[in-house]
Amino acid sequence: MNQSYPAFVSFHSLSNCFGYAKLLTAINATNALSSVNEQFNGPLLGSFRMRSCDNPNIYCDLQLFGQLPFTNVFINSVFAEVSGFQERQEVILEKMNCKTYCSYIEVAPRTDNDYSVIAQSQASIENEFLNQIRLVSQNMIIPHFLSPGVYVQFRILNIVPATGSSVVLNNNTELHVQTVVEGSKSDEKANMAHKVSSIVQDLSTKGFLSNYVVKLEKSPIIGRVLPKKIVMSWVNEGLEQLDKNTIYIAGRDNSPYPEHGIVEVRTRTKGEREEHIQFYYLHRTTTTSITKKTDKLNNSLSHMFDSLKLENRQHCVDGSGSLEPYVNIKMYSVPESRICTLKFCDVMIDKETLTWAQEFDMTKLLVKSIQNQLQGNPFILSVRGKELDVPLIDKAIRVKLYPSIKGLVKRWTEDTCFLLEQTTQLVFRKAAEPKLQVAEPEVPTRRRKRKDHSDYLEHSKPETSNNNHTENFGLLQTEEFVQIGSHSKFLSELDKICREGKQHVMLLGGNGYGKTTFVKKLAHRLAYNSSATFCKVIPCSLLKGRSADVIEKLLTESFSELELKKPSCLFLDDIDVILPQIDQEQRHLAMEKVVSVFSRKLRATGVTVVLVAQRLSTVNEGFVEQVMRTRPIVSKKIELGPLTKYC
């Protein structure tokens, strides 16, 4: 049985890479953490892998001394930094059964500066190495302290016997520090140092990139993007902590810590055939209680994802706000071979702004402003680049970042994910000016212009968000409505029908009976139910007099959007205005076409449609015959009585 212990990281000032376990209570925690003369002792508890709760891909192996139980693990601050840990960070310590002893180990310096120090202190390093560390693994980064204030960093290059797990060093282990041959010329020494540094840098990059690989239990994971209003109704605090480059979804079952990595996201919006491909960070929340109680954002997201569940899909939160709400996105894991760290990045700015920045020496401020936004995760770029608003003094400058192939060692393709980090050198360039298109002169015509479908959309399109996405009709409503009395007994029944999306409903009620209020109440309830149903309304009175072709085009576009955003519901208000009862003795070809369009669309769609009319007798007889009698597709009829009778 695996033994795991939650703890918090604390720092000690000892010059070694061992860990010390201590139990700190609420009374002595402050004094113990601030004491620089703290004595660490106790028996060896064993070999442990210390793993970050925030990102399980960040871990280090160490030997732990002390006693059980414990709340804090004290490690050297330099060792913590090179391993990716911070003070007071929550970690999980997983006990390992390490019985393999190392007979030979080869280490190399990480940088040229480390190399120059090692060349002068190799003998002392070999004598003191085992006093500072006893547990190592392949590609591990470790500091070695020459004195309390001086240290160098090593990368473990080779271990004998070769193994993928950690090994224990003992007095019989042979240590080899990779260095140049004594007596070589200074230029040869410099070349060798550069080669060694390059090798280690490549290994460091490889280890760094592995932190951004997340393994998905199935490929792809399909997520439905939740709108901001829904997220705000669940996440009361911590909403500002959402990262603009991250998508948040529920974690695996019984996951003790969040998962974090890069995913490829494919989306398709209304009217598009090809999928858009973008890269995002994926954050999967914890699903167990082993997490910080103060992590209100994670707790709120976990509760929301647990409450808003879908079949064969998951709800997700887009931190950037660039993805269209309610659409389904496909998320694929990105292997390490497709992730590449940039050494150079082109920053494209329009000619006028670039001239101004260079003239007044503002490029340094631009670089600093961009780097300030890299304090968290690196920027993720595709070959198509990324637009970014860079704050500068009293304004923001829009730039576009493009990956540069200069200095890249790894082979890249159209599907490569590029990382722009703090060490990436930014190169400012003038953005290409768009080609001017010469407009052809308009030829006057005597043909009378007839209002078409686009004119109708211009005057009757619903409210949209800042990103020009269609707003959910249910989210536009508030709860401060006139009371609907006993009409409310139908809400639960219709809520279930609309979520299943397999039936159509006819809602009847005379003037003043509260049909409009009831529809708003129902849409509001659907928008905030466990399926976060997307609702859309079409006021049919605005379609009166339109041709069958215009109506068919509108219905086709509406059903196409609703299919992409399922579960969804369409309200056809005042259906009896556009499909009125007419004299059966006379044929109305135009009306027959409209009836045919509505019946065909209702029969073909998998979206629930609520048809609102005054009375069944006011609706076109041919339409009623087709959808409710001959081959019924409207399976539910609800008649609302007057409000005064029920209130």
Side-chain angles (χ1 to χ4, degrees):
M1 181 178 178
N2 294 332
Q3 293 178 299
S4 300
Y5 305 92
F8 293 94
V9 175
S10 300
F11 291 161
H12 65 63
S13 58
L14 303 179
S15 299
N16 62 44
C17 297
F18 300 120
Y20 300 92
K22 293 189 70 66
L23 176 64
L24 300 184
T25 63
I27 297 177
N28 66 2
T30 303
N31 294 331
L33 286 172
S34 60
S35 176
V36 295
N37 298 317
E38 181 70 48
Q39 297 297 320
F40 297 99
N41 49 36
L44 176 65
L45 293 178
S47 300
F48 288 83
R49 173 158 291 179
M50 187 171 75
R51 194 184 296 272
S52 168
C53 286
D54 297 326
N55 185 355
N57 292 321
I58 297 178
Y59 62 85
C60 68
D61 299 333
L62 50 80
Q63 286 185 325
L64 189 64
F65 296 86
Q67 293 181 345
L68 295 173
F70 59 87
T71 58
N72 290 63
V73 173
F74 286 78
I75 60 175
N76 184 276
S77 59
V78 178
F79 181 45
E81 181 182 354
V82 299
S83 301
F85 293 96
Q86 299 176 354
E87 192 170 17
R88 293 182 175 85
Q89 182 177 352
E90 190 173 4
V91 295
I92 297 291
L93 285 103
E94 303 167 349
K95 192 167 185 179
M96 301 186 298
N97 186 18
C98 295
K99 296 183 178 180
T100 304
Y101 288 91
C102 178
S103 60
Y104 173 87
I105 180 174
E106 183 179 7
V107 299
R110 293 191 70 194
T111 66
D112 293 345
N113 292 333
D114 292 333
Y115 175 84
S116 61
V117 175
I118 291 171
Q120 302 174 9
S121 310
Q122 184 171 354
S124 62
I125 291 174
E126 293 176 351
N127 293 332
E128 292 293 327
F129 193 82
L130 291 180
N131 294 331
Q132 298 188 20
I133 190 168
R134 287 297 180 103
L135 189 67
V136 297
S137 58
Q138 190 73 31
N139 288 334
M140 182 178 179
I141 301 174
I142 56 173
H144 181 82
F145 298 89
L146 303 175
S147 66
V150 180
Y151 65 90
V152 293
Q153 294 184 32
F154 289 118
R155 166 76 71 172
I156 308 296
L157 291 184
N158 191 20
I159 292 176
V160 178
T163 176
S165 57
S166 300
V167 296
V168 180
L169 308 179
N170 57 22
N171 294 330
N172 296 323
T173 302
E174 180 182 349
L175 172 66
H176 177 69
V177 180
Q178 192 177 78
T179 181
V180 297
V181 180
E182 294 184 4
S184 59
K185 297 180 181 180
S186 59
D187 56 342
E188 293 178 353
K189 182 177 180 179
N191 291 335
M192 178 63 74
H194 180 72
K195 290 180 180 179
V196 172
S197 178
S198 299
I199 294 173
V200 176
Q201 180 63 33
D202 290 341
L203 290 172
S204 301
T205 301
K206 183 177 180 181
F208 166 77
L209 294 180
S210 64
N211 294 338
Y212 292 95
V213 177
V214 58
K215 295 181 180 179
L216 306 179
E217 64 272 21
K218 62 179 181 179
S219 185
I221 288 181
I222 300 178
R224 183 173 182 250
V225 181
L226 287 172
K228 187 176 180 179
K229 284 187 178 180
I230 296 292
V231 178
M232 291 175 62
S233 67
W234 287 88
V235 183
N236 298 322
E237 298 183 44
L239 196 62
E240 68 282 352
Q241 299 176 15
L242 292 177
D243 183 71
K244 294 183 179 180
N245 301 304
T246 302
I247 292 176
Y248 299 81
I249 65 171
R252 307 171 194 261
D253 293 338
N254 300 319
S255 175
Y257 38 68
E259 293 181 86
H260 191 78
I262 296 175
V263 291
E264 176 187 285
V265 175
R266 301 181 186 179
T267 59
R268 181 186 288 115
T269 55
K270 181 179 64 174
E272 295 181 342
R273 295 183 178 180
E274 296 184 357
E275 292 180 327
H276 289 278
I277 298 178
Q278 304 174 71
F279 294 106
Y280 287 87
Y281 290 109
L282 178 69
H283 181 91
R284 307 191 71 175
T285 60
T286 58
T287 54
T288 64
S289 59
I290 307 180
T291 183
K292 300 178 184 177
K293 294 183 179 180
T294 57
D295 192 353
K296 296 181 179 179
L297 176 62
N298 182 84
N299 295 338
S300 298
L301 289 175
S302 298
H303 180 51
M304 179 182 69
F305 291 139
D306 189 54
S307 302
L308 305 181
K309 289 189 175 181
L310 295 172
E311 187 176 354
N312 300 323
R313 290 178 292 167
Q314 298 186 44
H315 277 120
C316 63
V317 175
D318 170 28
S320 67
S322 61
L323 297 176
E324 185 173 357
Y326 298 103
V327 299
N328 294 315
I329 62 175
K330 299 177 182 178
M331 291 171 278
Y332 299 82
S333 59
V334 180
E336 185 180 322
S337 59
R338 288 177 53 195
I339 304 176
C340 182
T341 303
L342 290 173
K343 293 188 176 181
F344 296 89
C345 179
D346 293 332
V347 183
M348 311 302 291
I349 312 179
D350 65 88
K351 180 180 178 181
E352 183 178 348
T353 304
L354 181 59
T355 302
W356 168 81
Q358 292 174 340
E359 181 179 353
F360 293 95
D361 197 22
M362 303 297 288
T363 53
K364 293 181 179 179
L365 291 178
L366 284 171
V367 171
K368 185 176 181 180
S369 181
I370 293 175
Q371 290 179 343
N372 287 339
Q373 300 186 48
L374 294 171
Q375 296 299 324
N377 294 317
F379 284 150
I380 306 177
L381 304 180
S382 67
V383 292
R384 289 168 290 278
K386 175 188 181 74
E387 286 190 344
L388 181 69
D389 289 326
V390 183
L392 187 65
I393 307 177
D394 58 344
K395 61 180 180 179
I397 296 177
R398 173 65 60 88
V399 302
K400 189 155 188 179
L401 307 174
Y402 282 103
S404 173
I405 63 174
K406 181 181 178 181
L408 293 183
V409 178
K410 182 182 291 187
R411 183 177 297 177
W412 64 277
T413 65
E414 292 289 328
D415 297 328
T416 299
C417 173
F418 300 94
L419 298 183
L420 191 162
E421 55 174 357
Q422 290 277 1
T423 59
T424 303
Q425 185 174 340
L426 303 177
V427 181
F428 291 91
R429 300 184 185 278
K430 181 181 68 174
E433 297 181 359
K435 296 182 179 180
L436 296 177
Q437 296 182 352
V438 180
E440 297 182 0
E442 295 185 2
V443 179
T445 177
R446 294 184 178 181
R447 182 180 299 175
R448 182 178 178 181
K449 185 178 179 181
R450 181 180 178 182
K451 287 187 176 181
D452 58 7
H453 177 52
S454 61
D455 295 330
Y456 161 72
L457 291 179
E458 184 67 28
H459 294 289
S460 62
K461 64 182 180 181
E463 295 184 39
T464 58
S465 64
N466 294 333
N467 292 324
N468 295 323
H469 300 150
T470 304
E471 182 69 276
N472 187 340
F473 174 67
L475 297 181
L476 298 176
Q477 315 308 319
T478 61
E479 296 183 356
E480 288 77 22
F481 295 136
V482 177
Q483 295 297 319
I484 59 174
S486 61
H487 291 178
S488 58
K489 66 183 180 181
F490 299 115
L491 288 177
S492 298
E493 183 180 2
L494 289 181
D495 183 4
K496 182 179 179 181
I497 292 175
C498 294
R499 273 189 289 175
E500 293 176 351
K502 298 178 181 179
Q503 304 180 58
H504 300 316
V505 178
M506 180 72 76
L507 181 65
L508 304 173
N511 287 329
Y513 281 26
K515 296 190 302 298
T516 301
T517 302
F518 181 83
V519 166
K520 290 181 178 180
K521 275 276 192 181
L522 177 59
H524 181 80
R525 177 163 179 164
L526 290 171
Y528 286 97
N529 65 14
S530 60
S531 300
T533 304
F534 176 75
C535 300
K536 185 173 183 177
V537 62
I538 295 180
C540 294
S541 57
L542 297 178
L543 293 175
K544 187 176 182 180
R546 299 287 175 177
S547 67
D549 293 337
V550 171
I551 295 174
E552 183 173 15
K553 182 179 179 182
L554 174 63
L555 290 178
T556 300
E557 292 179 352
S558 297
F559 282 126
S560 176
E561 178 184 18
L562 291 164
E563 287 285 350
L564 286 173
K565 299 180 178 181
K566 289 173 63 175
S568 53
C569 179
L570 176 64
F571 294 91
L572 293 176
D573 196 16
D574 295 327
I575 189 71
D576 49 349
V577 173
I578 193 174
L579 294 175
Q581 184 63 271
I582 58 176
D583 187 359
Q584 296 297 321
E585 296 181 359
Q586 299 180 3
R587 291 197 63 185
H588 294 265
L589 295 179
M591 180 60 64
E592 290 178 4
K593 289 182 179 180
V594 174
V595 169
S596 176
V597 166
F598 270 97
S599 60
R600 280 191 291 105
K601 291 298 180 182
L602 290 178
R603 201 172 296 280
T605 185
V607 175
T608 293
V609 180
V610 178
L611 303 105
V612 184
Q614 291 191 21
R615 296 180 303 277
L616 198 61
S617 59
T618 62
V619 183
N620 184 274
E621 179 66 24
F623 177 73
V624 174
E625 183 69 26
Q626 290 188 39
V627 301
M628 298 185 69
R629 295 170 186 163
T630 306
R631 294 174 57 196
I633 53 176
V634 177
S635 57
K636 187 70 177 179
K637 182 181 71 172
I638 293 179
E639 297 187 32
L640 301 178
L643 285 173
T644 54
K645 180 178 179 180
Y646 293 92
C647 292

